[in-house]
Amino acid sequence: MVFTHDTELALQAAVTLANSALDPDTLTTDEDLDRVWDAYQYSGRRDHTRAELDAVRALRPRLRAVLTAADDETAVSLVNEMLGETQAVPQLVRHDQLGWHIHAIGTDQPLARRILVETAMAMIDVVRADELSRLSVCADETCEGVVLDLSRNRSRRFCSTTCGNRNAVAAYRARTRDPAAS
Ligand SMILES: [Zn+2]
Ligand SMILES: [Zn+2]
């Protein structure tokens, strides 16, 4: 594991949300939000309202900006801004099966606000570990997807298996068309 479990979950959730804004948008209904909720083990307040969905949707460009920050300084200023505006107060908590970990915002706060804070807290770990290179933009020429590479050998270059396969096929075709190229 590169980061702690809760940090990896928060990063994966942020990446999924950021990438949901790509075309076609995959976060348009309350059911879509349910899927994200379930996949990343969210708990606490959930309103199931249009306003809640819209707030999470509106957050996506900010998530993308911090996840794809060009350097530490950029990431840090975005993280500090996020924590400042939400008045995050880190508290050690223990619940469910999880050991001691940090909650920086109450579970009664709106979901979008909590996602913002949890993403910022996870990015603290990324910056402190000097692991910003774990985050990148998809190597597919036509894709803007955010890539989170949690692999041991840092081998992940594509945002999805779809992008990975498309490029594997293209590379294979290029080789077979011109054997000298490889
Ligand atoms: Zn927790
Ligand atoms: Zn991609």
Side-chain angles (χ1 to χ4, degrees), residues 22 138-140 143-147 157-160 162-164 166:
L22 299 171
C138 187
D140 182 289
C143 179
E144 292 289 302
V146 180
V147 181
R157 296 168 55 228
F158 298 102
C159 72
S160 62
T162 309
C163 281
R166 189 187 317 124

Side-chain angles (χ1 to χ4, degrees), residues 93 95 98 101 103:
V93 294
H95 61 85
L98 299 166
H101 59 285
H103 280 193

